[in-house]
Amino acid sequence: MTETKTAAAAPKAPRAKTAKTVDATVSAFPNFEAFNMPKMEIPAVTREMAEKSIEQAREAYSKLKTVAEDATDLMEDGFETTRRGVLDFNHKAVDAAKSNTDATFQFVKNLFEVKTLAEAIELQTSFARSQFDAFSAQAKDMQELSSKLAGEVTETFKGAVEKTTKDFKAA
């Protein structure tokens, strides 16, 4: 039993010494220079300059943020214009393909109904002529649509770049 008391007393003793040693060190050197913070006053001019710099930085950030948000909106508008134009172009291409496929199936159906070689040649010639005319009209429509699309996209992005550049210079 004595061993248990001694073992319990041993850990308590170093803790007490450590606490007393720290307290003794602080109280023994209350005016030690390493522990003192220097007291200095910031001049009013320096403080004003710092406050002005912070305010200018906030204003510049606010303007730059606004310009970036506007540029993002303009880019989104440009991408939406492009998406719509490409969608229209794809619809026109699918319509042309459907029209050509329907004409080809009708030609094949008519070809099975011919009785003479002359009728087949005449049918083939008229089909080729009509398909050439249809293809020419489809190509013209596709060219007009792609030119229109290119113009819209160019104008959208050109306007976005001009506005962003103008806003950025103003900021």
Side-chain angles (χ1 to χ4, degrees):
M1 290 199 170
T2 10
E3 291 176 353
T4 311
K5 289 180 183 176
T6 309
K12 289 182 181 177
R15 288 184 192 151
K17 285 182 182 178
T18 306
K20 287 181 182 177
T21 306
V22 172
D23 292 338
T25 307
V26 173
S27 62
F29 304 106
N31 295 328
F32 189 63
E33 291 180 29
F35 296 125
N36 290 337
M37 293 295 292
K39 295 180 181 178
M40 57 185 247
E41 176 120 1
I42 298 174
V45 174
T46 306
R47 185 174 297 155
E48 288 175 14
M49 283 180 23
E51 288 174 358
K52 285 181 183 178
S53 296
I54 290 171
E55 186 60 33
Q56 288 174 347
R58 283 185 181 143
E59 289 175 9
Y61 171 77
S62 176
K63 289 178 182 178
L64 188 61
K65 181 181 173 190
T66 302
V67 168
E69 288 172 350
D70 290 346
T72 302
D73 290 343
L74 291 171
M75 292 297 283
E76 287 174 355
D77 292 345
F79 290 133
E80 180 60 25
T81 301
T82 303
R83 186 194 66 80
R84 272 185 278 129
V86 169
L87 194 62
D88 291 345
F89 190 84
N90 287 342
H91 284 299
K92 180 122 356 220
V94 168
D95 289 344
K98 182 184 179 305
S99 173
N100 293 340
T101 304
D102 289 345
T104 302
F105 280 132
Q106 185 62 43
F107 166 70
V108 171
K109 180 182 172 192
N110 292 342
L111 195 60
F112 282 118
E113 296 174 357
V114 295
K115 306 267 190 247
T116 65
L117 182 62
E119 288 178 4
I121 292 174
E122 184 180 331
L123 185 63
Q124 171 65 35
T125 305
S126 67
F127 173 72
R129 187 175 298 120
S130 67
Q131 282 305 106
F132 180 78
D133 292 342
F135 178 73
S136 296
Q138 292 166 353
K140 183 179 177 184
D141 288 345
M142 297 292 264
Q143 185 214 7
E144 289 173 359
L145 185 61
S146 59
S147 295
K148 178 183 168 193
L149 171 64
E152 288 176 358
V153 170
T154 302
E155 280 300 313
T156 302
F157 282 107
K158 182 179 174 185
V161 168
E162 287 175 356
K163 184 178 185 319
T164 303
T165 306
K166 177 183 164 189
D167 290 347
F168 189 71
K169 285 180 183 177

